Amino acid sequence: SRFETCWPALMNDSHGVIIIFNPELPSHLKEIEMWYSCFVQQQSLLDSQCLLVAHHKPGSAGDTENLSLAYPLNKLKLIHSNLEEDPEDVRMEFMKYFRSIITFINESREREEMSILS
């Protein structure tokens, strides 16, 4: 990808990764493995710090709701977004995800402070 030179800057000190893809494109299913490898595994982020979003375009087939991803992607939290039908549901899932990241950051910071003090 022509943006690969920017990746180190994007990854620097990142606490979470959201990967949005079109579940109807087989090429996307291959690409999310690469994104996961680069942005999550190589950053030593936990799977709980990653959110997969299968985005359904208006009028799309919709039978991809039963999407089954292969290991290791099947360990990640996966939400389906369809902004025509259920935008509120997607918003709630994003809020839950952001809250979990904030909790994670706060806990990490507390652990660091405790290790400095002890």
Side-chain angles (χ1 to χ4, degrees):
S1 158
R2 59 203 162 127
F3 297 116
E4 273 180 53
T5 48
C6 308
W7 287 5
L10 286 173
M11 294 180 195
N12 189 33
D13 293 334
S14 60
H15 294 290
V17 176
I18 298 174
I19 300 173
I20 301 173
F21 65 100
N22 182 342
E24 291 174 38
L25 294 181
S27 61
H28 273 207
L29 298 179
K30 282 254 77 57
E31 279 175 36
I32 56 177
E33 288 179 26
M34 183 263 302
W35 291 109
Y36 172 74
S37 169
C38 292
F39 281 84
V40 181
Q41 288 180 314
Q42 289 173 34
Q43 293 303 310
S44 301
L45 293 181
L46 302 172
D47 287 339
S48 59
Q49 291 170 273
C50 182
L51 178 67
L52 286 182
V53 181
H55 183 63
H56 301 268
K57 291 183 174 170
S60 62
D63 56 353
T64 42
E65 288 279 339
N66 306 319
L67 192 64
S68 59
L69 297 170
Y71 181 86
L73 297 172
N74 61 3
K75 302 182 298 171
L76 304 174
K77 169 88 174 146
L78 168 69
I79 65 169
H80 290 269
S81 81
N82 185 328
L83 299 179
E84 264 192 337
E85 288 174 25
D86 214 343
E88 188 54 29
D89 198 40
V90 176
R91 200 177 72 83
M92 293 293 294
E93 289 292 350
F94 269 103
M95 292 306 290
K96 255 194 280 187
Y97 171 71
F98 287 126
R99 269 200 292 271
S100 74
I101 295 294
I102 290 164
T103 302
F104 177 82
I105 294 168
N106 289 339
E107 286 172 356
S108 310
R109 194 170 293 143
E110 279 171 23
R111 274 196 302 275
E112 264 174 44
E113 287 168 2
M114 292 305 285
S115 67
I116 292 167
L117 292 172
S118 59

